[in-house]
Amino acid sequence: MKNIYKIFFALMSILAISCNGDAVDDRPVLDAVTAPEITAPQSGKQYILKEANASTVAETFKWSAGVYSTDVVIKYTLLMDKKGGDFTKAKTIAVTSNVTEAGVLVKDMNQGAIDLGAAVDVATLFDVKVMSSVSGGVPMTSKTPVTISVTPYSGKVPYNFVEWYLVGDATVSGWDNNKGNQILYRNPTNSNEYTFTGFFKKGYFKTISHLGSWAPMYGGSGGSLVYRATEADADPPSIEITADGYYTFKMDVQKLTYTLVAYTGSTTTLYTTVGIIGSATASGWDASTPMALRDSAFDKHQWILGVTPLIDGEAKFRANNAWDVSWGGTTPFSGIVPSGSNIPVAKSKYLIYFNDLNGNYMMIPNQG
């Protein structure tokens, strides 16, 4: 009886394999038949782009449908490259699904031109093609490009703020004025107010605005700031730290006042990693982009991320690649307190600072 069962199951297995093979053989083969071609606009059109119109449509591009051997959902990608380019480094300016036209926003056309090396306020020629694909494969690209002239604007995120950094033997960089000095965090609702909570050594410090330069500078004593406009001006007094420890330093450059008080919050919670995450980052909401400790031997709570491209979207900071501990905010560029909200981000390259003691962040755009 056992042998009969064995023979039965062997026959069923052979039949199953045969059926699966037949199923594979019977699957329809998808062939590329006719590539899409742009029908509008015609070559020769000129676009002088203005930042004030960034969110308006610069042009509605139209194209013929790509044809495949089977009726499928087709993804279309509108590509822009330098005139005469081979489109291996082309920039995507629009994407659609089963739709043979797309309105390209001024800011997207502008960014494409800038990314491809166009000079600001100078007319530059570009070729535009459309590519069709199915489920990420079977691509077809239009044979004949449309050539357009684009005069871009700078594309920089409006950012009219001043940075201030710590310098002095009480700080992580010592008296070196160009050693990645610790930044002060700007109050997003009062651009004259700056603060830093972190570790200071017994010693002295001042603040400088331009790394590598000793002016402009603020020093002070007794709660009053003293300003040094140029290096030809008198050197202001240094602010004293009387003992090693964690402090909160706050200065108001309009009122010319400062406060320096011992930090009473916990400093013992340490994180293995801190990263930035969100729709504005390269990995979206799926994974954090890791930051690095500024100097773990000096202060284990100050994090930095070198020049990093971000896109229009939102972001947060989180610890240990998990959501148990995270920080957000409601204001771009800088935040003063932790919040559950998402930080609004505009497309640019940013230098990013973060303080896990209190959730302060600085995101400085337009980094080249």
Side-chain angles (χ1 to χ4, degrees), residues 68 103 179 288 293:
Y68 290 86
K179 194 179 178 182
S288 301
L293 281 169

Side-chain angles (χ1 to χ4, degrees), residues 216-231:
M217 170 188 281
Y218 283 106
S221 63
S224 297
L225 287 178
V226 179
Y227 182 58
R228 184 191 198 195
T230 72
E231 293 192 23

Side-chain angles (χ1 to χ4, degrees), residues 183-203:
I183 200 167
L184 295 172
Y185 294 91
R186 187 180 56 255
N187 186 332
T189 61
N190 180 0
S191 60
N192 295 308
E193 185 178 278
Y194 298 80
T195 186
F196 172 69
T197 295
F199 185 78
F200 289 82
K201 291 171 58 179
K202 183 179 184 297

Side-chain angles (χ1 to χ4, degrees), residues 316-340:
K316 278 186 174 182
F317 297 91
R318 68 174 185 172
N320 303 330
N321 294 316
W323 288 108
D324 298 350
V325 180
S326 65
W327 303 265
T330 58
T331 50
F333 312 131
S334 66
I336 198 70
V337 293
S339 167

Side-chain angles (χ1 to χ4, degrees), residues 159 161-165 183-184 186 194 208-210 353 362 364:
Y159 185 81
F161 300 106
V162 176
E163 267 64 72
W164 289 92
Y165 304 86
I183 200 167
L184 295 172
R186 187 180 56 255
Y194 298 80
I208 53 175
S209 183
H210 305 305
Y353 300 85
M362 284 282 286
I364 305 174

